[in-house]
Structure formats: structure tokens, C-alpha cells
Amino acid sequence: MSRVRVHNFSISIDGFATGEGQSLDAPFGHAGTRLHEWFFPTRTFQQMLGKPDGSNGIDDAIAGTWDAGIGAEIMGRNKFGPQRGPWENDDWNGWWGPNPPFHTPVFVLTHHPRPSVEMEGGTTFHFIDATPQEALRQAREAAGDLDVRIGGGPTTIREFLVEDLIDHLHIAVVPIVLGRGERLWDGLEGLEKRFQAESVTTPSGVTHMTFTRP
Amino acid sequence: MSRVRVHNFSISIDGFATGEGQSLDAPFGHAGTRLHEWFFPTRTFQQMLGKPDGSNGIDDAIAGTWDAGIGAEIMGRNKFGPQRGPWENDDWNGWWGPNPPFHTPVFVLTHHPRPSVEMEGGTTFHFIDATPQEALRQAREAAGDLDVRIGGGPTTIREFLVEDLIDHLHIAVVPIVLGRGERLWDGLEGLEKRFQAESVTTPSGVTHMTFTRP
């Protein structure tokens, strides 16, 4: 059975995965880039930008596991873009330019479906209004034998965790107190009982935590 | 100038330092012992119980720094006991038996002062109704050249952090989702800007974080 995985999902020590005030200019609201500064220097991220360089340390080793064996992604609409409510048009195709780094089908959860968009490099965005279970069924069908990644944001990951649909969860805890925004852990009391937890800190100051279904 | 320190303060990954429902039988409410299981095997804790054994690993190395150079403690009333409101009598002298592990003056913050109690081994409990600044003034006077420890619980530590009175903060983050109780980080947005943060994970699964004023 293919697994359902979350990778490189950053939160503050007070549990916020995005700040307040998400907008086109501030995808993570008042958090700015602070949740992801550990990630930017990594070779994994630099390659997403099409650049050949980047660090090869422990942060990169962990970050780099995000893509292997993934056949489809599911993301929430808030990860796809800052718009809310009905789409004004179909011009917005995500933050990632013409060749997004996914290179697989990507299922965008939205209450406002629109036609699928085929991008360069193998990424196709499908817009579906579906429960986590139904979205996962479609993503698994698209992924074949490969795994499905839940790409975020926090609402989407939390919904899949509540439904116990996630097999592997990688969280990067950044030592900042964000104070406001959207929390990851709400409504997940006792989550650890379903997983084996591992943690490691890296010189960037981040604590990487993995929760894996035994 | 003597420093103000917090040690061995455990929180869940969702930021709760105590669970819901604190009582005589459950000092940490529904959290039970889960926030402190990393601490129990350490030599530091075993010595508090008057036992000669205990582990000497990294958890103990970090835990063991709690006492060196401390001349007084300040604690909130909720750490001292489960009672609320006016004291029914003066019989309760804390959770720690006739010889508490502090061996210094301990200032208990309460809106209901009562006479000081001298315990065995050098611990004297003073019950004061004071602002953080005034409590710290009294504790510093009692501590002489030594440091003052803020012993908890979360409300007390948060109040001292809000007032920027803490110089060194050691937090042990336990990989459980407690879900409810009292949060440490609320109202402390941007706290990290005042400190240098360090983190290390240990094989017990805990992430030790220190925040030290530069």
C-alpha cells in the first residue's frame, strides 16, 4: 500500500505554521520567511529554483527526502494561492512559475473547482471539492504504486491527521515565537500514540521531528 | 548582577506546560507524568528524592544545572499546591515533604499571604502578594550574590518573560500533543529576539532548548 507523507513542514515553537495576514506579497503572513530560512540554503530548495548549488548538510539530507517515491500531491487551496472564495478568473496557477517543482499530478482542495491545468515538467493541477478520503482515493489512483504527499497548509495537514490518513510526518520546528496565525496541533491531542517519534536538531537551530506509523 | 534562571521546565510540542484539571492527585492534570518522564531517571531527580542512583546521561547533565549558584526561588502558587482562593488552613507545605529540594528561600506568589514556614534543609517558604519586579527584588535580596530561579508554573514564567526579567530559560520539549491545559508561549510573540537559542535532542526523545540573554 502506498504511504501518505508530509515533508518539510515548518512550524514555530508555539505551533504556528503560517502567520497572520497571508497575501500575494506575504504567502506566510507576518511570519515572512522566518519559518523557512533553514530550508533556503539547502541543495533541495536550490534545485527547486533550478539552481545547481546549495548546502549538503543534515538539513538538506532531511529536506531531500521529500520527493523520492512520490506519485501525487494533495494541497489545500491556501497553499496554492492567497485568493479566497470563487476564482475571479483562471489566471493564477500557483506560486511556482511555469515549471512547478512537483512534477506529478497535484490535487488542490477547493470548494470552487475549475478546469485542470497542465504545467511544464509533469505537474498537472486538479481542483477538487472532496473529503480527505476522496481526495486521497483520487491521488492514490494517480500515483499508482507510489506514495502521496500532503503538501499543506496546516488546515489540510490537520484534517488528514484528524482522519488518521498520514503515515509519515516530518516537521521542522523553528525556535521562534510567532504568536499568531494558524496552528498545526489543534484538535490532535494524543497524536503521538499513533506514531513513533524521532527528533534531531541541526546547527541551523531547527529541530526536525518525524512521526512514522509503526 | 545575579541572573534570573528557569530550568527543567517541560512542555508538550503544542506548548502546554500543564494539562487540564490540576488536583492533589494530579499535579499536572490530565498530562499525568508524561511531561516529566525524561526527568525521573536522572541522577538529578533521584537525588531530590534522597536516592543515590540515577542516570548520568545528557538529560541529567542538562537537568543538573538547575541548582548551581541559585540563592532563592520564586514560584507561583499553582506550583506550590492545588488549592485556589483563601487558604483553609496553614497545613499544606507543598508537595515535597519535610525537606524540600530547594534548600534556599522560596517566594510563593499568592494573593493570599500567610506566615512564612521554615522547613528542614534550608528551605523557607515566604508567601507574598507582589508584582514580578517586587518579588524579584525580595528574592535577589535573599539570594545575595547568587542567582534567582523562577520555578514555574507556566503563568509565573510567562509573567516574568513578558516583563523581560528572565536571563536564562531552559525548556524541555516532549514529543506529545497534550491538547489542553496551560500554554507557555501565549503573549510572547518575538521572544526569540531577546535571546540566543540553542537546541539539542537526547535519546529520551526530548528536545532541550535554552534561551540565554546575550
Side-chain angles (χ1 to χ4, degrees):
Chain A
M1 184 75 156
S2 76
R3 292 185 306 157
V4 181
R5 294 156 45 190
V6 174
H7 289 271
N8 298 337
F9 193 72
S10 294
I11 63 174
S12 60
I13 47 172
D14 51 341
F16 292 100
T18 71
E20 258 181 10
Q22 191 190 21
S23 71
L24 188 59
D25 294 332
F28 291 87
H30 85 288
T33 59
R34 289 179 291 159
L35 288 172
H36 304 95
E37 274 161 20
W38 69 271
F39 186 46
F40 298 147
T42 64
R43 190 159 180 262
T44 299
F45 182 74
Q46 292 299 316
Q47 287 190 335
M48 288 182 188
L49 302 179
K51 298 179 183 173
D53 298 328
S55 68
N56 271 117
I58 309 297
D59 282 331
D60 182 63
I62 296 170
T65 64
W66 81 293
D67 203 34
I70 294 288
E73 168 156 329
I74 296 169
M75 69 170 65
R77 180 179 174 178
N78 290 5
K79 175 173 171 181
F80 184 71
Q83 308 86 358
R84 301 291 182 267
W87 303 97
E88 292 187 12
N89 54 56
D90 290 348
D91 292 350
W92 177 264
N93 287 321
W95 307 94
W96 304 278
N99 185 354
F102 309 107
H103 312 300
T104 67
V106 173
F107 294 85
V108 180
L109 296 172
T110 169
H111 296 306
H112 303 279
R114 45 177 264 202
S116 296
V117 184
E118 194 169 332
M119 309 292 289
E120 293 172 24
T123 298
T124 302
F125 291 116
H126 301 290
F127 302 87
I128 62 173
D129 186 2
T131 63
Q133 286 83 354
E134 170 58 19
L136 183 54
R137 191 194 64 72
Q138 292 188 37
R140 277 204 156 117
E141 192 172 300
D145 292 336
L146 298 178
D147 291 348
V148 173
R149 184 175 51 234
I150 311 298
T155 303
T156 300
I157 292 176
R158 203 166 52 233
E159 284 171 355
F160 278 77
L161 284 171
V162 166
E163 299 292 332
D164 197 17
L165 296 174
I166 289 179
D167 301 304
H168 179 82
L169 172 67
H170 164 225
I171 302 288
V173 183
V174 180
I176 63 174
V177 179
L178 210 46
R180 52 209 158 92
E182 198 169 344
R183 291 188 196 271
L184 174 62
W185 301 118
D186 281 6
L188 292 170
E189 179 179 337
L191 176 77
E192 71 281 357
K193 293 171 193 156
R194 298 164 8 205
F195 294 98
Q196 286 178 337
E198 293 180 44
S199 302
V200 69
T201 48
T202 59
S204 66
V206 164
T207 302
H208 296 281
M209 306 186 70
T210 60
F211 296 82
T212 307
R213 200 191 291 280
Chain B
M1 184 73 156
S2 76
R3 291 186 307 156
V4 181
R5 294 157 44 190
V6 174
H7 289 271
N8 299 336
F9 193 72
S10 295
I11 63 174
S12 61
I13 47 173
D14 50 342
F16 292 100
T18 72
E20 260 182 8
Q22 191 191 22
S23 71
L24 189 59
D25 295 331
F28 290 88
H30 85 286
T33 58
R34 289 179 290 160
L35 287 171
H36 304 96
E37 275 161 20
W38 69 271
F39 185 46
F40 298 147
T42 63
R43 190 157 180 264
T44 299
F45 181 72
Q46 293 298 316
Q47 287 190 334
M48 288 182 189
L49 302 179
K51 298 180 183 172
D53 299 328
S55 67
N56 271 118
I58 309 297
D59 283 330
D60 182 63
I62 296 170
T65 63
W66 81 293
D67 204 33
I70 294 288
E73 167 156 330
I74 296 169
M75 67 169 66
R77 180 179 172 177
N78 291 4
K79 176 174 173 182
F80 183 71
Q83 308 87 355
R84 302 290 182 269
W87 303 98
E88 293 187 11
N89 55 57
D90 290 348
D91 293 349
W92 178 265
N93 286 323
W95 307 94
W96 303 277
N99 186 353
F102 309 107
H103 312 299
T104 67
V106 173
F107 295 84
V108 179
L109 296 171
T110 170
H111 297 307
H112 304 280
R114 45 178 262 204
S116 297
V117 184
E118 194 169 332
M119 309 293 288
E120 294 172 25
T123 299
T124 301
F125 292 115
H126 301 290
F127 302 87
I128 62 174
D129 186 3
T131 62
Q133 285 83 354
E134 170 57 19
L136 183 54
R137 190 193 65 72
Q138 293 188 37
R140 278 204 156 118
E141 192 172 300
D145 291 338
L146 298 178
D147 291 349
V148 173
R149 184 174 52 233
I150 311 298
T155 303
T156 301
I157 292 176
R158 203 167 53 234
E159 283 170 355
F160 278 78
L161 284 171
V162 165
E163 299 293 331
D164 197 17
L165 295 174
I166 289 180
D167 300 305
H168 178 82
L169 172 67
H170 163 225
I171 302 289
V173 184
V174 180
I176 64 174
V177 179
L178 210 47
R180 53 209 159 91
E182 198 170 344
R183 292 187 196 272
L184 173 62
W185 302 119
D186 281 6
L188 292 171
E189 179 179 338
L191 176 76
E192 71 280 358
K193 293 171 192 154
R194 302 173 352 213
F195 294 98
Q196 286 178 336
E198 293 181 43
S199 302
V200 69
T201 50
T202 59
S204 66
V206 164
T207 302
H208 296 280
M209 305 186 72
T210 60
F211 296 82
T212 307
R213 200 191 290 278

